[in-house]
Amino acid sequence: MDKEVVGKRSSGIASHIYPKRLPQMKAGPITDEMGFTLSERLALRQAWNLIRPFERRYGGDIFYGFLNDVYWGINKFKDNGKLNMKALHTHALRFFHFIGLLIEEKDPVVFQLMINENNLTHSRCKVGSDYIVNLADALVDYVLQVFHEISSPTLERGFRKIVEKLMSSTDQQPINTS
């Protein structure tokens, strides 16, 4: 009987001290609305601050190298049979800048809208989403190779999550090689 009285007293006192139940503690890293941990976000932003001054050069290296591997992709930049170098260079810079904008974006809705709009634009140009994901993979591999001295598993996980987000939002359209 004494235990029942003690239990009732403590719950009565606790209800005055703590009007709400304490939330359960979660063990492990806490993720934001987009699925990134705080350390992944920080690593991505810090790395991008180092990369940003070299956006033009790195974007060109990645894009042109990728187009050499996927030779048919260069045909998308031809006007009347001639290679449009301005469009090719502009696209390389915009691609790299787009990844930077994804890294900086904090709102999950805007983040998803950016990815969806990018996929929609490319599908209108008959560029399959597999191509976009493969190009993003090439960017991640390139950046991790160039910055191998400051690279970390956290940074790599952050970049891979961006690629996963691009992959999960794809239209599953096959690559058109014509």
Side-chain angles (χ1 to χ4, degrees):
M1 249 190 188
D2 291 335
K3 290 181 181 178
E4 288 180 32
V5 172
V6 171
K8 288 181 182 178
R9 279 189 201 157
S10 65
S11 67
I13 293 171
S15 67
H16 293 294
I17 297 172
Y18 300 106
K20 298 182 200 174
R21 288 188 163 265
L22 294 176
Q24 282 188 324
M25 298 284 292
K26 293 182 181 178
I30 297 174
T31 59
D32 63 9
E33 296 86 15
M34 293 180 281
F36 294 96
T37 65
L38 180 60
S39 58
E40 289 167 347
R41 274 286 189 198
L42 183 61
L44 284 168
R45 286 191 180 124
Q46 287 178 339
W48 207 258
N49 285 336
L50 294 173
I51 294 167
R52 189 176 291 118
F54 306 103
E55 225 174 39
R56 182 177 300 270
R57 186 176 82 198
Y58 293 161
D61 288 351
I62 294 163
F63 197 67
Y64 304 142
F66 183 75
L67 287 177
N68 283 330
D69 291 341
V70 185
Y71 64 91
W72 62 265
I74 201 90
N75 292 328
K76 298 291 181 186
F77 296 95
K78 286 186 177 180
D79 289 333
N80 299 324
K82 294 177 95 180
L83 189 60
N84 184 341
M85 291 301 289
K86 182 179 180 188
L88 185 65
H89 185 72
T90 302
H91 192 278
L93 186 60
R94 284 186 179 172
F95 160 71
F96 211 75
H97 188 70
F98 175 71
I99 298 297
L101 290 174
L102 287 177
I103 288 172
E104 295 294 327
E105 186 54 54
K106 295 176 184 168
D107 185 355
V109 174
V110 174
F111 183 90
Q112 192 60 48
L113 286 172
M114 289 169 64
I115 291 174
N116 291 346
E117 181 64 29
N118 184 56
N119 288 341
L120 182 63
T121 299
H122 283 89
S123 67
R124 276 184 278 177
C125 297
K126 295 184 171 85
V127 175
S129 50
D130 290 342
Y131 177 82
I132 297 165
V133 171
N134 291 337
L135 184 56
D137 264 335
L139 176 135
V140 170
D141 293 341
Y142 181 87
V143 167
L144 292 175
Q145 178 186 0
V146 168
F147 289 99
H148 69 278
E149 292 178 6
I150 62 164
S151 183
S152 68
T154 304
L155 179 61
E156 187 172 347
R157 271 194 319 270
F159 273 125
R160 297 294 174 204
K161 282 186 181 179
I162 289 176
V163 173
E164 287 173 14
K165 302 260 182 231
L166 286 168
M167 194 179 308
S168 67
S169 299
T170 60
D171 54 5
Q172 301 304 318
Q173 173 182 330
I175 297 174
N176 185 355
T177 58
S178 56

